[in-house]
Amino acid sequence: MKKVLSVLIACMMITVGCSNGKEKEQEVEKPLDVSILLPTADINVNKEITFRAEVTQNKKVVSDADEVQFEIGKQGEDSLAMLEAENGADGIYSAKYKFTEPGDFYVVAHITARDQHSMPKKDFKVTDATASNDKSSTKDDHSVHTEGHHHGEIMIHLMGTEKIQVNKENKYTIHIQTDEGEALDKANVRIETWKDAKGKHDYTDAKEVSPGEYEVQYTFKANGKNFMKVHVEKGELHDHIEKEVIVN
């Protein structure tokens, strides 16, 4: 009788263990929730402002992000600056910037945390407080530049270019999203690299490792200033970004 009870108890424990394992397998990590916080007052030329991004996951603050950057750009043009954000213990990351000209701009918060990447975008206007107020022209101008990021309808973020070593294979990560914040998957992505305009241009295909995230490895043969261009193609979509990199 004791042996029978022992066998029954053992079976029950195995069943409970298996069910707990299945429940754990079914658990899905919730996506990051990122809110870009712009100044409540007008953004004026030649006045330093602070960009902030509040990062949470499952309604809890994320204070251990791997990387947070603010990409600043003018509507219809390539980005102007990539700002490294300060780590906020309360889940709010910030960076300061000063604009030198008025116009319609955008900010993209690049957040890498807990094996996820988020790229929310927000548009805003920079005004010149010293100039005369021509409200009609500034309102009409906003409707002209609606092409989005990097001359197209997608946002491209190239990572891994900070510490490139010559004659050593380096890995680069490329995140691609639509202007609506959706990951662009199943795209043909490759990098173009060259030393100078008259030199040889190399092309290397990137591999998609998760929806909207691509990886590629490449070895630079010459140190100093080099150039990288990311090409993205999907259907009728063809977009690219170009970046100057330093190889040590």
Side-chain angles (χ1 to χ4, degrees):
M1 185 68 180
K2 290 182 178 179
K3 289 184 178 180
V4 174
L5 287 173
S6 298
V7 172
L8 289 173
I9 292 171
C11 291
M12 290 174 63
M13 291 178 66
I14 293 172
T15 303
V16 171
C18 291
S19 62
N20 287 340
K22 288 181 181 179
E23 288 177 1
K24 288 181 180 178
E25 288 179 0
Q26 292 174 354
E27 288 179 1
V28 178
E29 191 174 36
K30 297 200 176 209
L32 297 175
D33 186 9
V34 181
S35 299
I36 299 177
L37 309 175
L38 295 178
T40 55
D42 291 340
I43 301 175
N44 294 319
V45 171
N46 297 322
K47 183 178 180 181
E48 189 175 63
I49 66 164
T50 301
F51 291 100
R52 294 181 176 87
E54 183 179 23
V55 186
T56 59
Q57 185 182 46
N58 197 21
K59 298 183 179 179
K60 295 181 180 179
V61 299
V62 175
S63 58
D64 58 351
D66 299 314
E67 183 179 51
V68 178
Q69 296 176 313
F70 292 97
E71 182 178 2
I72 312 299
K74 197 168 186 179
Q75 294 286 0
E77 301 179 10
D78 286 343
S79 60
L80 300 172
M82 186 73 80
L83 312 176
E84 295 289 341
E86 295 180 357
N87 191 347
D90 54 356
I92 296 180
Y93 301 79
S94 62
K96 297 182 182 295
Y97 189 73
K98 184 185 293 185
F99 291 91
T100 59
E101 61 176 334
D104 293 310
F105 292 83
Y106 62 82
V107 56
V108 179
H110 296 275
I111 314 293
T112 303
R114 302 175 181 178
D115 296 325
Q116 296 186 39
H117 189 79
S118 180
M119 297 165 54
K121 176 185 175 187
K122 206 164 196 178
D123 298 329
F124 58 93
K125 185 182 290 292
V126 176
T127 58
D128 188 351
T130 61
S132 59
N133 275 331
D134 188 356
K135 294 184 179 179
S136 61
S137 63
T138 55
K139 285 183 180 178
D140 293 341
D141 185 62
H142 183 72
S143 62
V144 176
H145 304 293
T146 55
E147 295 180 1
H149 186 56
H150 297 309
H151 304 293
E153 299 175 352
I154 61 175
M155 295 179 285
I156 307 170
H157 184 210
L158 173 63
M159 302 175 63
T161 60
E162 295 79 12
K163 297 179 180 179
I164 303 177
Q165 297 182 14
V166 68
N167 294 321
K168 182 178 180 180
E169 190 173 61
N170 295 270
K171 184 175 75 173
Y172 306 96
T173 302
I174 305 164
H175 292 102
I176 308 173
Q177 287 186 355
T178 66
D179 275 351
E180 289 75 29
E182 298 179 355
L184 185 71
D185 60 352
K186 299 178 181 178
N188 295 320
V189 181
R190 63 176 178 170
I191 61 169
E192 177 185 0
T193 52
W194 68 95
K195 174 66 175 175
D196 53 61
K198 296 181 180 179
K200 178 185 175 183
H201 288 227
D202 291 335
Y203 293 87
T204 309
D205 291 329
K207 180 181 179 181
E208 186 170 12
V209 295
S210 64
E213 180 177 341
Y214 302 79
E215 288 183 355
V216 60
Q217 294 183 334
Y218 181 76
T219 302
F220 282 93
K221 300 298 195 309
N223 58 11
K225 185 189 297 183
N226 285 262
F227 297 89
M228 296 182 69
K229 182 181 287 188
V230 179
H231 295 272
V232 179
E233 295 181 8
K234 184 176 182 179
E236 297 181 355
L237 172 67
H238 184 189
D239 206 348
H240 67 271
I241 62 167
E242 183 177 322
K243 187 172 185 178
E244 178 184 304
V245 298
I246 301 299
V247 179
N248 299 308

